[in-house]
Amino acid sequence: MVQNSYFFKVQNLSKSFGGLQAVKNVSFEVKKGSLTSLIGPNGAGKTTIFDLISGFIIPDKGKVFFKGHDLTGRKPHEIVSMGMARTFQHLGLFYRLSVWDNIFLALPGKKREQVLGVFLPQTTLRDEEKILRQRTKEILDFLGLTEKADEMVANLSWGDQKLVSIGRLLATDGEFLLMDEPASGLSDEQISHLKYLIKELISMGKTILLIDHNMEAIMDISDWIIVLNFGEIIAEGKPADIQAHEEVIRVYLGV
């Protein structure tokens, strides 16, 4: 099924785990080139929505559409190949490998790893290797990790490990990026750097759906905010509207 009137949309999405309904009839859209944030208390259903969107769990009902295509029930690797990728709260890095290797291994389309790769001319494989190495360097330069390219990821600070996870996200070359709590555990200086990187990604044409609890950062960088509580959307709007929303203040932001 193909529909072309929107970039990304979820429609009546619901998911229960036993007797707990984690997501209840959630519907929203994300505009191309925008930064939309999902916020709400712990347990509100934010990460479950990410899991439903990215194919890691299947909804009980509802649909997920991306660039007009119905993604509902597709496998995660299929969704990534269509241009959507995500990070995780638990970073899932190769901790015993270098920063360089973590980024390089996330790059798609390596011909030498395909079944017919053994039959390709060595010049073709060398050309591909050169392109992939250049792309890895570009990502490291963008993140400010070039000087740490040879360091083992296990030896990095938490903030730098977060940057490596973003680097692996960028390596997929996805146009729609889902970021799950990228500012969690970061210092003020690291959060400032993260905000700069996210704004740069938007200026480069990426579209971002973000989960985080750092309200100062959320209000600064978001174009649109969706607020969840007990698996339901209780408000959505521009940052100024959300900051003034009485129910959002009561259940999440505080006075």
Side-chain angles (χ1 to χ4, degrees), residues 16 31 139 168 177 216:
S16 295
K31 294 181 179 179
I139 292 171
R168 288 177 57 80
L177 307 178
E216 182 179 353

Side-chain angles (χ1 to χ4, degrees), residues 234 242-255:
I234 61 170
I242 296 302
Q243 286 178 304
H245 194 286
E246 291 186 3
E247 187 175 4
V248 176
I249 293 171
R250 180 178 62 82
V251 303
Y252 187 52
L253 296 181
V255 179

